Amino acid sequence: MWKQPFTKLRWTIIAASMSLSVLSIPWAVDAVNAFADDKAHKQKNVNVQLLGINDFHGQLDTYDKKLNAGGAEYLAAYLKKREAANPKNTLMVHAGDEVGASSPVSALLEDEPTIEFLNHTGFDVGTVGNHEFDEGVGEMLRLINGGSNPKTVDKYGKFEGANFPYVAANVIDKKTNKPLLPPYVIKKVGGVPIGFIGIALSDTPSVVMPGGTDGVRFTDETKAINKYAGKLKAKGIKSIVVLAHNPATSNEDGSKASGELVDIAKGADDEVDVLFGGHNHALTNTTVDHKLLVESYSYGTAFSDVHLVINPVTKDIFKKKAEIVITHRDKIKPDAKTKKMVDNYTADVAPILSQKIGKASSPISKQQNANGESPLGNMIADAMRAQTHTEFAFMNPGGIRADIDAGEILWKEIFTAQPFGNDLVKMELTGDQVKQLLNQQWADPEKTNILQISGLNVKYVDSRREGDRIVEATLPDGTAIVPSKTYTATVNSFMASGGDGFTALKDGKNKMVDIPDLDALINYIKSKGEVYPAIEGRITKLSK
């Protein structure tokens, strides 16, 4: 054991006098560490703060009424307050899906307001989620790099784009066979370089419209991380953060961590220190394989506050912890500049948003019960079937984004609940194809997608083997669906193309495109005047 740390002179003498690699000898490694620790004491450790969000989805003017949390002006206020505690060494980051399925204040203006919000709040680096591809690669690049959109250019001019870098190591341009965006960026904080690697969800092609990912391919997340972690290490970077749009979840105390991000962390290079996650709108604050994993719900209702302590000599992170902060609206004063920006955009689209469509006798929830049925899902499926006059309708639950409040139903609420603008598609399916479709509700190993249905009743056992979980599918009068008989059905264009793993629909016959799903829902509510959707027992989960 060394009684005193090595001085720089002693270390130079030893290094010069030995022909073999000193760093391969255990006692020499200890000497290096002792020297680094001694020098670090003389130089203060670097305390870095990373403030991160995920899955904001353009929710500039909405908030969670149960939590009383969210809203762009409140999120900005929290982030700026936390940044003020460590202004020189704080970076703001995001893990994708900042746009797409957006509030109409953002969506009607081609999501330019959301990028402007990120710019003005002070974000430093971000990555792309699956929803950044909703309008195709070209539009995604326009929002990032700037450019004109015919729907906004006359009023707002050429859009400036994001004023911070987007990184994505595993989105490959098919023409060049190189990353579409920079795979990583290096940020110097307190004199210490930190590498940020961006990772998109590799399943993106299966969860967006087919044209959304034309011209690009997605590679394995872990392999991409390790490839560019190696390049960062070759540059002498010892502090590495991954911004990944991959799901995870954990208890608040970090226990019971699971999800794709957990598996990625286990296979990621040991020099990776922190992974931000997203996609499933959950809480994660845990440690896996000595790596810190965080995710902070969605829609601006929370953010991740990550604290890192870096040795200024070794340039390595040796302490890390995180807090998931809920953006309670009653605990902070909203940011005035952000509020003014959102108010201005809201005023521009107010004539559309404020249109009265109908009335709801009680709140209409998108929340699925234990069987998988929801009141809003029932109403949307009924509206689809009423529009096209088919026997059945199927709606993917991921396309239903928000509840509808009791009382006057405004256009804004309907758009917020169903924001994707998919067309309805009428088709013919055999009874056997209907059963195949229903069994594909378990196609995604990470989550079950119980379809919202109209025109039939379904019973299932989710513990049965794959492809045989549907016990019964009947018409409302109890008549069983006949495997060989042909039925008419309506789905949205995303599902019709096989989205969310519902590939049985790709084989439907005599397909006919109808009006957008939003218009169908508006027509349905207008025709009723007042709506009373409820749980009706259309879907039943059996124990065996």
PDB file of all heavy atoms in Angstrom, residues 343-380:
ATOM      1  N   ASP A 343     -50.203  31.289 -25.705  1.00  0.00           N
ATOM      2  CA  ASP A 343     -51.436  32.072 -25.868  1.00  0.00           C
ATOM      3  C   ASP A 343     -51.555  32.639 -27.284  1.00  0.00           C
ATOM      4  O   ASP A 343     -52.644  32.662 -27.869  1.00  0.00           O
ATOM      5  CB  ASP A 343     -51.485  33.212 -24.850  1.00  0.00           C
ATOM      6  CG  ASP A 343     -51.781  32.729 -23.436  1.00  0.00           C
ATOM      7  OD1 ASP A 343     -52.185  31.559 -23.283  1.00  0.00           O
ATOM      8  OD2 ASP A 343     -51.596  33.521 -22.490  1.00  0.00           O
ATOM      9  N   ASN A 344     -50.439  33.089 -27.832  1.00  0.00           N
ATOM     10  CA  ASN A 344     -50.459  33.655 -29.191  1.00  0.00           C
ATOM     11  C   ASN A 344     -50.828  32.592 -30.232  1.00  0.00           C
ATOM     12  O   ASN A 344     -51.636  32.843 -31.137  1.00  0.00           O
ATOM     13  CB  ASN A 344     -49.105  34.269 -29.529  1.00  0.00           C
ATOM     14  CG  ASN A 344     -48.848  35.569 -28.790  1.00  0.00           C
ATOM     15  OD1 ASN A 344     -49.777  36.203 -28.294  1.00  0.00           O
ATOM     16  ND2 ASN A 344     -47.591  35.965 -28.688  1.00  0.00           N
ATOM     17  N   TYR A 345     -50.232  31.427 -30.105  1.00  0.00           N
ATOM     18  CA  TYR A 345     -50.556  30.355 -31.043  1.00  0.00           C
ATOM     19  C   TYR A 345     -51.990  29.875 -30.847  1.00  0.00           C
ATOM     20  O   TYR A 345     -52.697  29.554 -31.819  1.00  0.00           O
ATOM     21  CB  TYR A 345     -49.582  29.186 -30.883  1.00  0.00           C
ATOM     22  CG  TYR A 345     -48.232  29.428 -31.526  1.00  0.00           C
ATOM     23  CD1 TYR A 345     -47.053  29.343 -30.785  1.00  0.00           C
ATOM     24  CD2 TYR A 345     -48.138  29.728 -32.884  1.00  0.00           C
ATOM     25  CE1 TYR A 345     -45.821  29.559 -31.377  1.00  0.00           C
ATOM     26  CE2 TYR A 345     -46.912  29.942 -33.484  1.00  0.00           C
ATOM     27  CZ  TYR A 345     -45.753  29.862 -32.725  1.00  0.00           C
ATOM     28  OH  TYR A 345     -44.540  30.073 -33.326  1.00  0.00           O
ATOM     29  N   THR A 346     -52.432  29.812 -29.600  1.00  0.00           N
ATOM     30  CA  THR A 346     -53.814  29.391 -29.320  1.00  0.00           C
ATOM     31  C   THR A 346     -54.809  30.354 -29.963  1.00  0.00           C
ATOM     32  O   THR A 346     -55.823  29.929 -30.542  1.00  0.00           O
ATOM     33  CB  THR A 346     -54.053  29.321 -27.802  1.00  0.00           C
ATOM     34  OG1 THR A 346     -53.122  28.402 -27.211  1.00  0.00           O
ATOM     35  CG2 THR A 346     -55.470  28.864 -27.493  1.00  0.00           C
ATOM     36  N   ALA A 347     -54.514  31.639 -29.885  1.00  0.00           N
ATOM     37  CA  ALA A 347     -55.401  32.644 -30.492  1.00  0.00           C
ATOM     38  C   ALA A 347     -55.487  32.465 -32.001  1.00  0.00           C
ATOM     39  O   ALA A 347     -56.547  32.674 -32.611  1.00  0.00           O
ATOM     40  CB  ALA A 347     -54.907  34.049 -30.152  1.00  0.00           C
ATOM     41  N   ASP A 348     -54.384  32.052 -32.613  1.00  0.00           N
ATOM     42  CA  ASP A 348     -54.370  31.882 -34.066  1.00  0.00           C
ATOM     43  C   ASP A 348     -55.299  30.766 -34.537  1.00  0.00           C
ATOM     44  O   ASP A 348     -55.831  30.816 -35.648  1.00  0.00           O
ATOM     45  CB  ASP A 348     -52.944  31.594 -34.546  1.00  0.00           C
ATOM     46  CG  ASP A 348     -52.047  32.825 -34.458  1.00  0.00           C
ATOM     47  OD1 ASP A 348     -52.588  33.936 -34.307  1.00  0.00           O
ATOM     48  OD2 ASP A 348     -50.815  32.657 -34.529  1.00  0.00           O
ATOM     49  N   VAL A 349     -55.466  29.737 -33.712  1.00  0.00           N
ATOM     50  CA  VAL A 349     -56.290  28.592 -34.121  1.00  0.00           C
ATOM     51  C   VAL A 349     -57.610  28.516 -33.346  1.00  0.00           C
ATOM     52  O   VAL A 349     -58.371  27.562 -33.510  1.00  0.00           O
ATOM     53  CB  VAL A 349     -55.507  27.262 -33.961  1.00  0.00           C
ATOM     54  CG1 VAL A 349     -54.325  27.226 -34.907  1.00  0.00           C
ATOM     55  CG2 VAL A 349     -55.041  27.067 -32.518  1.00  0.00           C
ATOM     56  N   ALA A 350     -57.881  29.526 -32.517  1.00  0.00           N
ATOM     57  CA  ALA A 350     -59.069  29.520 -31.657  1.00  0.00           C
ATOM     58  C   ALA A 350     -60.383  29.316 -32.400  1.00  0.00           C
ATOM     59  O   ALA A 350     -61.265  28.587 -31.909  1.00  0.00           O
ATOM     60  CB  ALA A 350     -59.124  30.805 -30.828  1.00  0.00           C
ATOM     61  N   PRO A 351     -60.581  29.930 -33.571  1.00  0.00           N
ATOM     62  CA  PRO A 351     -61.865  29.729 -34.257  1.00  0.00           C
ATOM     63  C   PRO A 351     -62.179  28.266 -34.552  1.00  0.00           C
ATOM     64  O   PRO A 351     -63.344  27.864 -34.554  1.00  0.00           O
ATOM     65  CB  PRO A 351     -61.689  30.534 -35.551  1.00  0.00           C
ATOM     66  CG  PRO A 351     -60.693  31.597 -35.191  1.00  0.00           C
ATOM     67  CD  PRO A 351     -59.740  30.918 -34.264  1.00  0.00           C
ATOM     68  N   ILE A 352     -61.134  27.491 -34.802  1.00  0.00           N
ATOM     69  CA  ILE A 352     -61.335  26.055 -35.054  1.00  0.00           C
ATOM     70  C   ILE A 352     -61.541  25.317 -33.736  1.00  0.00           C
ATOM     71  O   ILE A 352     -62.472  24.523 -33.589  1.00  0.00           O
ATOM     72  CB  ILE A 352     -60.133  25.457 -35.808  1.00  0.00           C
ATOM     73  CG1 ILE A 352     -59.940  26.163 -37.149  1.00  0.00           C
ATOM     74  CG2 ILE A 352     -60.315  23.959 -36.014  1.00  0.00           C
ATOM     75  CD1 ILE A 352     -58.681  25.749 -37.884  1.00  0.00           C
ATOM     76  N   LEU A 353     -60.695  25.596 -32.773  1.00  0.00           N
ATOM     77  CA  LEU A 353     -60.718  24.861 -31.507  1.00  0.00           C
ATOM     78  C   LEU A 353     -62.029  25.020 -30.757  1.00  0.00           C
ATOM     79  O   LEU A 353     -62.467  24.100 -30.058  1.00  0.00           O
ATOM     80  CB  LEU A 353     -59.573  25.320 -30.597  1.00  0.00           C
ATOM     81  CG  LEU A 353     -58.148  25.280 -31.145  1.00  0.00           C
ATOM     82  CD1 LEU A 353     -57.156  25.595 -30.041  1.00  0.00           C
ATOM     83  CD2 LEU A 353     -57.844  23.917 -31.743  1.00  0.00           C
ATOM     84  N   SER A 354     -62.655  26.163 -30.873  1.00  0.00           N
ATOM     85  CA  SER A 354     -63.816  26.480 -30.043  1.00  0.00           C
ATOM     86  C   SER A 354     -65.148  26.053 -30.644  1.00  0.00           C
ATOM     87  O   SER A 354     -66.207  26.317 -30.059  1.00  0.00           O
ATOM     88  CB  SER A 354     -63.847  27.975 -29.761  1.00  0.00           C
ATOM     89  OG  SER A 354     -63.907  28.720 -30.967  1.00  0.00           O
ATOM     90  N   GLN A 355     -65.126  25.393 -31.795  1.00  0.00           N
ATOM     91  CA  GLN A 355     -66.377  24.930 -32.397  1.00  0.00           C
ATOM     92  C   GLN A 355     -67.081  23.935 -31.467  1.00  0.00           C
ATOM     93  O   GLN A 355     -66.459  23.007 -30.949  1.00  0.00           O
ATOM     94  CB  GLN A 355     -66.104  24.248 -33.745  1.00  0.00           C
ATOM     95  CG  GLN A 355     -65.627  25.178 -34.831  1.00  0.00           C
ATOM     96  CD  GLN A 355     -65.350  24.432 -36.130  1.00  0.00           C
ATOM     97  OE1 GLN A 355     -65.953  23.402 -36.408  1.00  0.00           O
ATOM     98  NE2 GLN A 355     -64.412  24.938 -36.916  1.00  0.00           N
ATOM     99  N   LYS A 356     -68.379  24.125 -31.269  1.00  0.00           N
ATOM    100  CA  LYS A 356     -69.154  23.237 -30.405  1.00  0.00           C
ATOM    101  C   LYS A 356     -69.706  22.080 -31.237  1.00  0.00           C
ATOM    102  O   LYS A 356     -70.358  22.286 -32.259  1.00  0.00           O
ATOM    103  CB  LYS A 356     -70.289  24.017 -29.749  1.00  0.00           C
ATOM    104  CG  LYS A 356     -69.796  25.111 -28.806  1.00  0.00           C
ATOM    105  CD  LYS A 356     -70.949  25.908 -28.216  1.00  0.00           C
ATOM    106  CE  LYS A 356     -70.430  27.009 -27.290  1.00  0.00           C
ATOM    107  NZ  LYS A 356     -71.543  27.822 -26.710  1.00  0.00           N
ATOM    108  N   ILE A 357     -69.460  20.864 -30.761  1.00  0.00           N
ATOM    109  CA  ILE A 357     -69.827  19.668 -31.513  1.00  0.00           C
ATOM    110  C   ILE A 357     -71.032  18.961 -30.901  1.00  0.00           C
ATOM    111  O   ILE A 357     -71.879  18.431 -31.605  1.00  0.00           O
ATOM    112  CB  ILE A 357     -68.633  18.687 -31.592  1.00  0.00           C
ATOM    113  CG1 ILE A 357     -67.393  19.405 -32.154  1.00  0.00           C
ATOM    114  CG2 ILE A 357     -68.983  17.472 -32.433  1.00  0.00           C
ATOM    115  CD1 ILE A 357     -67.578  20.011 -33.521  1.00  0.00           C
ATOM    116  N   GLY A 358     -71.109  18.922 -29.593  1.00  0.00           N
ATOM    117  CA  GLY A 358     -72.190  18.222 -28.921  1.00  0.00           C
ATOM    118  C   GLY A 358     -72.029  18.311 -27.425  1.00  0.00           C
ATOM    119  O   GLY A 358     -71.308  19.177 -26.915  1.00  0.00           O
ATOM    120  N   LYS A 359     -72.684  17.401 -26.711  1.00  0.00           N
ATOM    121  CA  LYS A 359     -72.601  17.385 -25.256  1.00  0.00           C
ATOM    122  C   LYS A 359     -72.322  15.974 -24.748  1.00  0.00           C
ATOM    123  O   LYS A 359     -72.710  14.986 -25.378  1.00  0.00           O
ATOM    124  CB  LYS A 359     -73.910  17.897 -24.643  1.00  0.00           C
ATOM    125  CG  LYS A 359     -74.191  19.367 -24.872  1.00  0.00           C
ATOM    126  CD  LYS A 359     -75.463  19.786 -24.164  1.00  0.00           C
ATOM    127  CE  LYS A 359     -75.741  21.284 -24.365  1.00  0.00           C
ATOM    128  NZ  LYS A 359     -76.989  21.697 -23.671  1.00  0.00           N
ATOM    129  N   ALA A 360     -71.654  15.924 -23.596  1.00  0.00           N
ATOM    130  CA  ALA A 360     -71.410  14.649 -22.917  1.00  0.00           C
ATOM    131  C   ALA A 360     -72.086  14.699 -21.557  1.00  0.00           C
ATOM    132  O   ALA A 360     -71.881  15.648 -20.792  1.00  0.00           O
ATOM    133  CB  ALA A 360     -69.917  14.398 -22.756  1.00  0.00           C
ATOM    134  N   SER A 361     -72.882  13.704 -21.261  1.00  0.00           N
ATOM    135  CA  SER A 361     -73.610  13.693 -19.992  1.00  0.00           C
ATOM    136  C   SER A 361     -72.679  13.477 -18.808  1.00  0.00           C
ATOM    137  O   SER A 361     -72.983  13.875 -17.678  1.00  0.00           O
ATOM    138  CB  SER A 361     -74.674  12.601 -20.012  1.00  0.00           C
ATOM    139  OG  SER A 361     -74.074  11.337 -20.255  1.00  0.00           O
ATOM    140  N   SER A 362     -71.535  12.854 -19.050  1.00  0.00           N
ATOM    141  CA  SER A 362     -70.529  12.606 -18.011  1.00  0.00           C
ATOM    142  C   SER A 362     -69.175  12.502 -18.691  1.00  0.00           C
ATOM    143  O   SER A 362     -69.098  12.403 -19.928  1.00  0.00           O
ATOM    144  CB  SER A 362     -70.851  11.308 -17.256  1.00  0.00           C
ATOM    145  OG  SER A 362     -70.886  10.214 -18.156  1.00  0.00           O
ATOM    146  N   PRO A 363     -68.070  12.544 -17.937  1.00  0.00           N
ATOM    147  CA  PRO A 363     -66.751  12.418 -18.574  1.00  0.00           C
ATOM    148  C   PRO A 363     -66.638  11.120 -19.369  1.00  0.00           C
ATOM    149  O   PRO A 363     -67.163  10.079 -18.947  1.00  0.00           O
ATOM    150  CB  PRO A 363     -65.796  12.417 -17.372  1.00  0.00           C
ATOM    151  CG  PRO A 363     -66.541  13.113 -16.279  1.00  0.00           C
ATOM    152  CD  PRO A 363     -67.981  12.739 -16.472  1.00  0.00           C
ATOM    153  N   ILE A 364     -65.967  11.201 -20.506  1.00  0.00           N
ATOM    154  CA  ILE A 364     -65.792  10.023 -21.365  1.00  0.00           C
ATOM    155  C   ILE A 364     -64.329   9.605 -21.287  1.00  0.00           C
ATOM    156  O   ILE A 364     -63.448  10.273 -21.824  1.00  0.00           O
ATOM    157  CB  ILE A 364     -66.196  10.324 -22.819  1.00  0.00           C
ATOM    158  CG1 ILE A 364     -67.608  10.929 -22.869  1.00  0.00           C
ATOM    159  CG2 ILE A 364     -66.134   9.053 -23.656  1.00  0.00           C
ATOM    160  CD1 ILE A 364     -68.025  11.392 -24.256  1.00  0.00           C
ATOM    161  N   SER A 365     -64.074   8.500 -20.627  1.00  0.00           N
ATOM    162  CA  SER A 365     -62.706   8.085 -20.330  1.00  0.00           C
ATOM    163  C   SER A 365     -62.147   7.160 -21.406  1.00  0.00           C
ATOM    164  O   SER A 365     -62.849   6.283 -21.927  1.00  0.00           O
ATOM    165  CB  SER A 365     -62.671   7.366 -18.978  1.00  0.00           C
ATOM    166  OG  SER A 365     -61.385   6.846 -18.720  1.00  0.00           O
ATOM    167  N   LYS A 366     -60.856   7.347 -21.691  1.00  0.00           N
ATOM    168  CA  LYS A 366     -60.141   6.426 -22.579  1.00  0.00           C
ATOM    169  C   LYS A 366     -59.545   5.268 -21.798  1.00  0.00           C
ATOM    170  O   LYS A 366     -59.019   4.318 -22.386  1.00  0.00           O
ATOM    171  CB  LYS A 366     -59.019   7.159 -23.322  1.00  0.00           C
ATOM    172  CG  LYS A 366     -57.827   7.539 -22.474  1.00  0.00           C
ATOM    173  CD  LYS A 366     -56.788   8.262 -23.314  1.00  0.00           C
ATOM    174  CE  LYS A 366     -55.531   8.595 -22.507  1.00  0.00           C
ATOM    175  NZ  LYS A 366     -54.750   7.391 -22.142  1.00  0.00           N
ATOM    176  N   GLN A 367     -59.615   5.337 -20.474  1.00  0.00           N
ATOM    177  CA  GLN A 367     -59.015   4.318 -19.612  1.00  0.00           C
ATOM    178  C   GLN A 367     -59.708   2.974 -19.814  1.00  0.00           C
ATOM    179  O   GLN A 367     -60.921   2.855 -19.656  1.00  0.00           O
ATOM    180  CB  GLN A 367     -59.113   4.727 -18.147  1.00  0.00           C
ATOM    181  CG  GLN A 367     -58.430   3.792 -17.170  1.00  0.00           C
ATOM    182  CD  GLN A 367     -56.926   3.758 -17.345  1.00  0.00           C
ATOM    183  OE1 GLN A 367     -56.303   4.796 -17.539  1.00  0.00           O
ATOM    184  NE2 GLN A 367     -56.340   2.570 -17.290  1.00  0.00           N
ATOM    185  N   GLN A 368     -58.939   1.971 -20.152  1.00  0.00           N
ATOM    186  CA  GLN A 368     -59.498   0.639 -20.345  1.00  0.00           C
ATOM    187  C   GLN A 368     -59.656  -0.070 -18.998  1.00  0.00           C
ATOM    188  O   GLN A 368     -58.786   0.037 -18.119  1.00  0.00           O
ATOM    189  CB  GLN A 368     -58.595  -0.182 -21.263  1.00  0.00           C
ATOM    190  CG  GLN A 368     -58.542   0.363 -22.692  1.00  0.00           C
ATOM    191  CD  GLN A 368     -57.499  -0.323 -23.540  1.00  0.00           C
ATOM    192  OE1 GLN A 368     -56.363   0.126 -23.623  1.00  0.00           O
ATOM    193  NE2 GLN A 368     -57.878  -1.430 -24.177  1.00  0.00           N
ATOM    194  N   ASN A 369     -60.746  -0.784 -18.829  1.00  0.00           N
ATOM    195  CA  ASN A 369     -60.942  -1.532 -17.594  1.00  0.00           C
ATOM    196  C   ASN A 369     -60.122  -2.818 -17.631  1.00  0.00           C
ATOM    197  O   ASN A 369     -59.338  -3.041 -18.557  1.00  0.00           O
ATOM    198  CB  ASN A 369     -62.429  -1.792 -17.338  1.00  0.00           C
ATOM    199  CG  ASN A 369     -63.057  -2.737 -18.368  1.00  0.00           C
ATOM    200  OD1 ASN A 369     -62.386  -3.278 -19.239  1.00  0.00           O
ATOM    201  ND2 ASN A 369     -64.372  -2.932 -18.263  1.00  0.00           N
ATOM    202  N   ALA A 370     -60.305  -3.681 -16.644  1.00  0.00           N
ATOM    203  CA  ALA A 370     -59.492  -4.893 -16.544  1.00  0.00           C
ATOM    204  C   ALA A 370     -59.676  -5.806 -17.756  1.00  0.00           C
ATOM    205  O   ALA A 370     -58.774  -6.585 -18.101  1.00  0.00           O
ATOM    206  CB  ALA A 370     -59.843  -5.652 -15.259  1.00  0.00           C
ATOM    207  N   ASN A 371     -60.817  -5.705 -18.413  1.00  0.00           N
ATOM    208  CA  ASN A 371     -61.065  -6.518 -19.600  1.00  0.00           C
ATOM    209  C   ASN A 371     -60.458  -5.914 -20.858  1.00  0.00           C
ATOM    210  O   ASN A 371     -60.268  -6.609 -21.864  1.00  0.00           O
ATOM    211  CB  ASN A 371     -62.573  -6.690 -19.809  1.00  0.00           C
ATOM    212  CG  ASN A 371     -63.234  -7.453 -18.674  1.00  0.00           C
ATOM    213  OD1 ASN A 371     -62.753  -8.496 -18.260  1.00  0.00           O
ATOM    214  ND2 ASN A 371     -64.334  -6.915 -18.168  1.00  0.00           N
ATOM    215  N   GLY A 372     -60.196  -4.593 -20.824  1.00  0.00           N
ATOM    216  CA  GLY A 372     -59.636  -3.912 -21.985  1.00  0.00           C
ATOM    217  C   GLY A 372     -60.604  -2.993 -22.690  1.00  0.00           C
ATOM    218  O   GLY A 372     -60.296  -2.456 -23.758  1.00  0.00           O
ATOM    219  N   GLU A 373     -61.774  -2.765 -22.104  1.00  0.00           N
ATOM    220  CA  GLU A 373     -62.816  -1.947 -22.742  1.00  0.00           C
ATOM    221  C   GLU A 373     -62.837  -0.546 -22.139  1.00  0.00           C
ATOM    222  O   GLU A 373     -62.623  -0.379 -20.933  1.00  0.00           O
ATOM    223  CB  GLU A 373     -64.178  -2.621 -22.534  1.00  0.00           C
ATOM    224  CG  GLU A 373     -65.338  -1.932 -23.209  1.00  0.00           C
ATOM    225  CD  GLU A 373     -66.652  -2.680 -22.993  1.00  0.00           C
ATOM    226  OE1 GLU A 373     -66.613  -3.828 -22.494  1.00  0.00           O
ATOM    227  OE2 GLU A 373     -67.714  -2.117 -23.318  1.00  0.00           O
ATOM    228  N   SER A 374     -63.104   0.471 -22.957  1.00  0.00           N
ATOM    229  CA  SER A 374     -63.220   1.836 -22.450  1.00  0.00           C
ATOM    230  C   SER A 374     -64.435   2.516 -23.065  1.00  0.00           C
ATOM    231  O   SER A 374     -64.817   2.215 -24.209  1.00  0.00           O
ATOM    232  CB  SER A 374     -61.967   2.654 -22.765  1.00  0.00           C
ATOM    233  OG  SER A 374     -61.960   3.084 -24.118  1.00  0.00           O
ATOM    234  N   PRO A 375     -65.053   3.451 -22.347  1.00  0.00           N
ATOM    235  CA  PRO A 375     -66.197   4.177 -22.911  1.00  0.00           C
ATOM    236  C   PRO A 375     -65.849   4.944 -24.184  1.00  0.00           C
ATOM    237  O   PRO A 375     -66.600   4.907 -25.163  1.00  0.00           O
ATOM    238  CB  PRO A 375     -66.597   5.129 -21.775  1.00  0.00           C
ATOM    239  CG  PRO A 375     -66.112   4.470 -20.527  1.00  0.00           C
ATOM    240  CD  PRO A 375     -64.837   3.789 -20.928  1.00  0.00           C
ATOM    241  N   LEU A 376     -64.711   5.639 -24.184  1.00  0.00           N
ATOM    242  CA  LEU A 376     -64.332   6.401 -25.367  1.00  0.00           C
ATOM    243  C   LEU A 376     -64.003   5.477 -26.532  1.00  0.00           C
ATOM    244  O   LEU A 376     -64.344   5.762 -27.684  1.00  0.00           O
ATOM    245  CB  LEU A 376     -63.144   7.312 -25.053  1.00  0.00           C
ATOM    246  CG  LEU A 376     -62.693   8.248 -26.176  1.00  0.00           C
ATOM    247  CD1 LEU A 376     -63.849   9.086 -26.721  1.00  0.00           C
ATOM    248  CD2 LEU A 376     -61.570   9.156 -25.687  1.00  0.00           C
ATOM    249  N   GLY A 377     -63.373   4.356 -26.228  1.00  0.00           N
ATOM    250  CA  GLY A 377     -63.081   3.381 -27.275  1.00  0.00           C
ATOM    251  C   GLY A 377     -64.348   2.846 -27.916  1.00  0.00           C
ATOM    252  O   GLY A 377     -64.423   2.680 -29.147  1.00  0.00           O
ATOM    253  N   ASN A 378     -65.369   2.591 -27.099  1.00  0.00           N
ATOM    254  CA  ASN A 378     -66.647   2.125 -27.634  1.00  0.00           C
ATOM    255  C   ASN A 378     -67.260   3.172 -28.559  1.00  0.00           C
ATOM    256  O   ASN A 378     -67.755   2.850 -29.649  1.00  0.00           O
ATOM    257  CB  ASN A 378     -67.620   1.822 -26.493  1.00  0.00           C
ATOM    258  CG  ASN A 378     -67.301   0.504 -25.790  1.00  0.00           C
ATOM    259  OD1 ASN A 378     -66.518  -0.297 -26.277  1.00  0.00           O
ATOM    260  ND2 ASN A 378     -67.906   0.284 -24.632  1.00  0.00           N
ATOM    261  N   MET A 379     -67.232   4.436 -28.134  1.00  0.00           N
ATOM    262  CA  MET A 379     -67.846   5.485 -28.944  1.00  0.00           C
ATOM    263  C   MET A 379     -67.114   5.678 -30.265  1.00  0.00           C
ATOM    264  O   MET A 379     -67.745   5.849 -31.323  1.00  0.00           O
ATOM    265  CB  MET A 379     -67.883   6.805 -28.173  1.00  0.00           C
ATOM    266  CG  MET A 379     -68.599   7.914 -28.935  1.00  0.00           C
ATOM    267  SD  MET A 379     -68.913   9.413 -27.972  1.00  0.00           S
ATOM    268  CE  MET A 379     -67.247  10.106 -27.869  1.00  0.00           C
ATOM    269  N   ILE A 380     -65.780   5.651 -30.226  1.00  0.00           N
ATOM    270  CA  ILE A 380     -65.017   5.821 -31.468  1.00  0.00           C
ATOM    271  C   ILE A 380     -65.287   4.671 -32.433  1.00  0.00           C
ATOM    272  O   ILE A 380     -65.486   4.877 -33.635  1.00  0.00           O
ATOM    273  CB  ILE A 380     -63.515   5.954 -31.156  1.00  0.00           C
ATOM    274  CG1 ILE A 380     -63.245   7.301 -30.482  1.00  0.00           C
ATOM    275  CG2 ILE A 380     -62.679   5.796 -32.420  1.00  0.00           C
ATOM    276  CD1 ILE A 380     -61.830   7.474 -29.988  1.00  0.00           C
TER     277      ILE A 380
END
